Amino acid sequence: MGDRLSMERMKKKKKEIRLRTFFVRFLLKLVAAVLLAFLLWLLQITVSVGTGLILPANAAEKEALAYLHTIGAHTDIVSSGIPSACGYAIYDASGELLETDMSGSIRENADLLALSGQDSLSANMLGRTYVKRQTDTRIVVLTYDFRSAFANPALRRLFPSAELLEVFLLLFLLLAAFVLVITRQAKYLSRELFHLQEAADEIRNQNLDFTIRATAICEFNQVAASLDALKSELSASLKEQWHMQQQRRRQFSALAHDIKTPLTIVRGNAELLSETALDETQQSCNRFILENAAQIQDYLARIIELAKTDDPAACSAECRFQAQLHTASFFDDLLGNTKSLGQKKELHVLFSTETLPAVLPLPEHPLRRILNNLLDNAVCYSPHKGTVTLDASIRDYRDAPEKESTLFLTVSDEGPGFCEDALLYGTEAFYRESADRNDKSHFGLGLSIADQLARGLGGSITLCNAPAGGAVVIVRLPLTGQLQRDTE
């Protein structure tokens, strides 16, 4: 697999670049985009001024001076002939204001110039200028700014300062250049990083039969090569682990079968001895042999069952067999068996399955083994005259893909409940509590077998304690088939 990656990288070697080169190219593209935006801005200004859309900064001054040159000593000054780019104030010969379009401080400056002996006045650093012309009967003061303006009066009223609008336009072009270049480069990096993310996701999901695609960036390919090496090592490790597990299961199963033969002989001889004349001590010893032989035989049966359950091939084949489970007969049979188990303790056994459909798309045998193990534990740890409950319902499970319907099976008892360690490790094989939930008839395999079977069906098992006391085991099993509800 590493060779395939190397070959693919060789094919792309001409296109491969280093990150440093990538960022240098990015900087050059950014500078080029900024220069292009600036050139477009200058071109727009040139076209606007050339077509007369925008007046140059000294246009108002030219119009004002041209108008003043037309005024003679006896000219009757009226506002209709004054250039629209200029503000004006008309006074009589004594300096009394007759007409103006100025206001505020601009008018005050015009009044000062009208009464002074000067012909012009510069009022501030922004280029506002006042000029005066006097005739026999009138005084006129014009004011203007050295700034660009729109030739159209309507546009001039809407945008008094064309220069400010041009600044905003330049900022917009620069921002657009930045966004365009950064977005394109970000998409390029994301596209190249996607190959690494895709490989990491496949490895995380333990899907190791794939080829890592090479990227156009050298450093990314180095990471890809490391991921490829990790994938190969992980694949080899998982295969070795799987072979070891298979070997251990075969050894467990072979050992259990080998022990069964001499154990059967011991038990058979003990049973024959029980039919002969024995004194009280001999009968007690013989009874002890039979009881412990039965316990060992049960233990071996559980080990063999665990080995079969833990076999992925067997479990997968069984779980793929989608037999239709008839709920009424299945749970009635299970209820009868549980009541028989609880007769000695006079237990109350309550099943709540009324909301289930008539048929469930689940294989019967694995589900029966799951519930038999859980109900057997519940009966074992329940106090005398206690209650064992099984609640079954179907609802959407928020952690399930696409909110598929899920069968919830909750088995509870009124026993001592699980200790803190059991809540964490109770489903592990051979785990046994050291306190109340520990007796010689249980070997720490029931919950482990149930958990393996539930996971084989795509579900899970959760251990918890009821608030009022007692153990609670929740089984979640996804239902992928078509549910058939009883409409009668």
Side-chain angles (χ1 to χ4, degrees), residues 302 338 341 371-381 441-442:
R302 293 296 184 98
T338 308
L341 288 173
L371 291 177
N372 278 340
N373 277 290
L374 299 183
L375 291 169
D376 180 59
N377 279 353
V379 168
C380 178
Y381 298 122
S441 63
H442 283 258

Side-chain angles (χ1 to χ4, degrees), residues 195-205 210 227:
H195 301 324
L196 299 181
Q197 182 182 352
E198 187 180 41
D201 289 342
E202 294 287 355
I203 293 174
R204 185 177 66 246
N205 296 329
F210 71 99
L227 286 175

Side-chain angles (χ1 to χ4, degrees), residues 12 28 36 38 103 180 207 216 233 327 344 357 367 369 401:
K12 291 195 173 185
L28 292 176
L36 179 60
F38 189 73
S103 61
L180 179 63
N207 178 21
E233 292 177 7
T327 55
K344 260 189 167 183
L367 184 59
R369 290 172 65 190

Side-chain angles (χ1 to χ4, degrees), residues 333-343 349 351 375 379 388:
D333 184 44
L334 201 63
L335 177 62
N337 292 341
T338 308
K339 285 183 177 180
S340 298
L341 288 173
Q343 273 184 345
V349 182
F351 278 25
L375 291 169
V379 168
V388 172

Side-chain angles (χ1 to χ4, degrees), residues 140-437:
V140 62
V141 176
L142 302 181
T143 183
Y144 52 85
D145 288 328
F146 282 95
R147 64 181 181 182
S148 300
F150 285 102
N152 187 297
L155 287 176
R156 193 183 307 139
R157 285 192 298 271
L158 187 60
F159 303 105
S161 176
E163 293 173 350
L164 184 60
L165 187 64
E166 291 294 340
V167 170
F168 281 125
L169 179 60
L170 176 61
L171 292 176
F172 172 78
L173 290 174
L174 292 176
L175 180 62
F178 273 97
V179 170
L180 179 63
V181 173
I182 291 174
T183 302
R184 287 179 61 86
Q185 296 303 102
K187 285 183 178 179
Y188 177 81
L189 272 183
S190 298
R191 187 170 61 249
E192 298 302 321
L193 280 172
F194 176 75
H195 301 324
L196 299 181
Q197 182 182 352
E198 187 180 41
D201 289 342
E202 294 287 355
I203 293 174
R204 185 177 66 246
N205 296 329
Q206 294 188 3
N207 178 21
L208 305 179
D209 187 18
F210 71 99
T211 301
I212 301 178
R213 288 185 287 177
T215 71
I217 297 179
C218 178
E219 286 78 1
F220 290 1
N221 282 332
Q222 292 172 1
V223 176
S226 299
L227 286 175
D228 189 66
L230 174 64
K231 175 173 69 74
S232 300
E233 292 177 7
L234 182 59
S235 178
S237 175
L238 289 175
K239 287 179 182 178
E240 182 180 358
Q241 182 181 357
W242 184 82
H243 287 302
M244 290 176 62
Q245 288 176 347
Q246 293 300 308
Q247 185 179 6
R248 186 178 61 181
R249 291 191 191 100
R250 287 193 293 269
Q251 289 173 345
F252 264 117
S253 183
L255 179 62
H257 281 287
D258 289 344
I259 295 175
K260 280 179 67 177
T261 301
L263 181 64
T264 303
I265 295 173
V266 170
R267 188 171 182 178
N269 284 299
E271 288 173 349
L272 290 174
L273 281 174
S274 64
E275 296 176 1
T276 62
L278 301 173
D279 58 29
E280 187 175 342
T281 302
Q282 291 172 334
Q283 288 178 359
S284 176
C285 291
N286 193 61
R287 191 164 49 249
F288 180 78
I289 293 172
L290 287 173
E291 289 174 356
N292 281 273
Q295 185 176 337
I296 295 173
Q297 203 164 22
D298 187 25
Y299 191 28
L300 291 175
R302 293 296 184 98
I303 291 177
I304 294 172
E305 183 181 11
L306 179 64
K308 290 179 179 178
T309 303
D310 218 18
D311 185 351
C315 186
S316 176
E318 183 178 39
C319 294
R320 280 197 300 266
F321 178 63
Q322 294 294 321
Q324 296 295 307
L325 175 70
H326 296 275
T327 55
S329 59
F330 175 80
F331 284 103
D332 285 345
D333 184 44
L334 201 63
L335 177 62
N337 292 341
T338 308
K339 285 183 177 180
S340 298
L341 288 173
Q343 273 184 345
K344 260 189 167 183
K345 293 185 176 181
E346 301 180 27
L347 299 179
H348 301 285
V349 182
L350 302 176
F351 278 25
S352 176
T353 60
E354 296 83 5
T355 60
L356 294 181
V359 176
L360 285 172
L362 288 171
E364 179 179 344
H365 183 58
L367 184 59
R368 184 180 294 276
R369 290 172 65 190
I370 291 171
L371 291 177
N372 278 340
N373 277 290
L374 299 183
L375 291 169
D376 180 59
N377 279 353
V379 168
C380 178
Y381 298 122
S382 291
H384 188 70
K385 292 188 177 181
T387 301
V388 172
T389 305
L390 169 63
D391 179 74
S393 62
I394 294 175
R395 55 184 184 271
D396 289 338
Y397 182 40
R398 65 176 182 273
D399 291 340
E402 300 180 359
K403 293 185 178 179
E404 64 183 8
S405 295
T406 302
L407 174 64
F408 283 76
L409 300 166
T410 304
V411 178
S412 57
D413 61 56
E414 295 179 344
F418 296 106
C419 68
E420 291 185 7
D421 283 346
L423 292 174
L424 297 174
Y425 309 113
T427 57
E428 293 185 3
F430 306 107
Y431 175 84
R432 298 175 69 185
E433 296 184 48
S434 57
D436 296 330
R437 295 183 72 89

Side-chain angles (χ1 to χ4, degrees), residues 112-133:
L112 290 175
L113 181 60
L115 297 175
S116 70
Q118 299 177 350
D119 291 331
S120 64
L121 173 67
S122 295
N124 53 41
M125 299 296 293
L126 298 177
R128 178 164 288 278
T129 301
Y130 299 83
V131 291
K132 181 179 75 173
R133 180 60 57 92

